[in-house]
Amino acid sequence: MNQSALLAIVLSLASAAGYALAAVAQSRLAAQGGGGVGQLLARPLWWWAVGLNAAGALMHVAALHYGPLTLVQPLGALTLVAALPLSAAYERRRVTRREWRGAGWTLAGLTGLIAVTGPANPGDALSLSEALAITAATALLLAFLVRSGAHSAHGSRLGLATASGVASAVASALTQTVTAALATQLPSGPLTWWQISLLTVLVATFAVGGLLLSQAAYRGGLAAPLAVVNLANPAAASVIGVALLGESFHGGPLGWLTAAAAACVAARGVLMLTGAKPAAEPPSTVVPPVDLPLPAPDLPSPDPAVHIVA
């Protein structure tokens, strides 16, 4: 592994930690009844979450400068592993064995994905036409995901989480295009200032949209939506990277088979984390009150010196 790939991994890990702290903050807001956008803007905790997400995004952008999308995006799943002990500490409970096992499976799958990831090609980026096409297709997909889950609360949460992961992945791909355009390394040549400005607006739109979608998804709990976000994000990024950026997995058919097996292992870990239940509280030692019969009233005993005369 070269130094660029190693630096991309380190930055991705730091980014995952920032995103994990932000997710816990968002889940606290959701538990308190986050309300609409106006109410969120009035809460300091929301701005902490925004700042943490921004810090994670900046480190994510730096990681994309040194590594390909297929390497950087799968490491984002570590957000779930980092959020696990943070969320448990906030809830004042211990992490269960099932949760630790799920974290282990997730890490094993990610290790397999990293092992077969192709070499870094920092100059690869979407062309303007590809970026606009992905924007239109993603907008339609997000609308479908949000509407399809409107019939049930659980389905709505998972649909919003999936939409959030896809939006974040597209924002990352467009960010890579903007940075390449500023360095005039796009395959279609340099872009004009208004084209770069348009791409920047699209990046901000998808990034903020993904943040608001995840906030809405966390209203029923953190584990399941965060797991879905971390599955949808690298999946969408891999589709973009392989289909449009020429990224691949080295090793030929064996590399693809290894990547598929590693993805299944990581998915199993995420599903275990999703279905894990918090540790049960210890039974209470307080003995409930028992209704006892009342003692008979004290009656004056008869005086033996008193006799009844007929």
Side-chain angles (χ1 to χ4, degrees), residues 90-113:
Y90 168 70
E91 297 172 0
R92 296 182 179 180
R93 64 176 180 86
R94 293 183 178 181
V95 181
T96 64
R97 291 183 60 185
R98 180 183 176 89
E99 289 173 328
W100 283 125
R101 289 173 57 197
W105 278 84
T106 304
L107 287 173
L110 289 172
T111 302
L113 285 173

Side-chain angles (χ1 to χ4, degrees), residues 11-39:
L11 290 170
S12 298
L13 294 178
S15 174
Y19 282 132
L21 290 170
V24 174
Q26 287 182 264
S27 67
R28 290 179 59 185
L29 277 172
Q32 297 169 4
V37 177
Q39 296 180 4

Side-chain angles (χ1 to χ4, degrees), residues 70 74 105-106 108-117 231 238 242 248-269:
T70 47
W105 278 84
T106 304
L110 289 172
T111 302
L113 285 173
I114 294 173
V116 296
T117 299
L231 277 176
S238 296
V242 172
S248 183
F249 300 102
H250 60 72
L254 181 60
W256 283 93
L257 182 61
T258 302
C264 292
V265 171
R268 173 178 170 80

Side-chain angles (χ1 to χ4, degrees), residues 16-170:
Y19 282 132
L21 290 170
V24 174
Q26 287 182 264
S27 67
R28 290 179 59 185
L29 277 172
Q32 297 169 4
V37 177
Q39 296 180 4
L40 289 175
L41 295 178
R43 299 191 176 189
L45 188 58
W46 166 254
W47 292 108
W48 275 105
V50 171
L52 289 168
N53 272 298
L58 288 175
M59 287 181 284
H60 183 77
V61 171
L64 287 173
H65 178 71
Y66 294 101
L69 204 63
T70 47
L71 171 64
V72 174
Q73 288 301 119
L75 290 173
L78 291 176
T79 298
L80 181 61
V81 179
L84 181 65
L86 292 174
S87 178
Y90 168 70
E91 297 172 0
R92 296 182 179 180
R93 64 176 180 86
R94 293 183 178 181
V95 181
T96 64
R97 291 183 60 185
R98 180 183 176 89
E99 289 173 328
W100 283 125
R101 289 173 57 197
W105 278 84
T106 304
L107 287 173
L110 289 172
T111 302
L113 285 173
I114 294 173
V116 296
T117 299
N121 295 310
D124 290 346
L126 299 170
S127 65
L128 179 63
S129 59
E130 290 173 338
L132 295 178
I134 287 178
T135 297
T138 303
L140 294 175
L141 177 61
L142 297 186
F144 170 77
L145 290 173
V146 173
R147 290 177 60 89
S148 63
H151 301 290
S152 66
H154 185 68
S156 176
R157 289 173 54 214
L158 297 184
L160 291 172
T162 304
S164 175
V166 172
S168 299
V170 172

Side-chain angles (χ1 to χ4, degrees), residues 173-262:
L174 295 179
T175 298
Q176 200 172 17
T177 301
V178 171
T179 55
L182 294 175
T184 64
Q185 294 179 348
L186 282 179
S188 57
L191 301 181
T192 61
W193 67 268
W194 70 266
Q195 291 173 330
I196 296 178
S197 300
L198 175 61
L199 290 175
T200 303
V201 171
L202 293 177
V203 169
T205 301
F206 280 113
V208 174
L211 183 62
L212 294 176
L213 287 168
S214 64
Q215 178 65 48
Y218 294 153
R219 289 176 183 172
L222 177 64
L226 186 58
V228 173
V229 168
N230 283 276
L231 277 176
N233 194 322
S238 296
V239 171
I240 295 173
V242 172
L244 298 175
L245 298 181
E247 298 178 359
S248 183
F249 300 102
H250 60 72
L254 181 60
W256 283 93
L257 182 61
T258 302

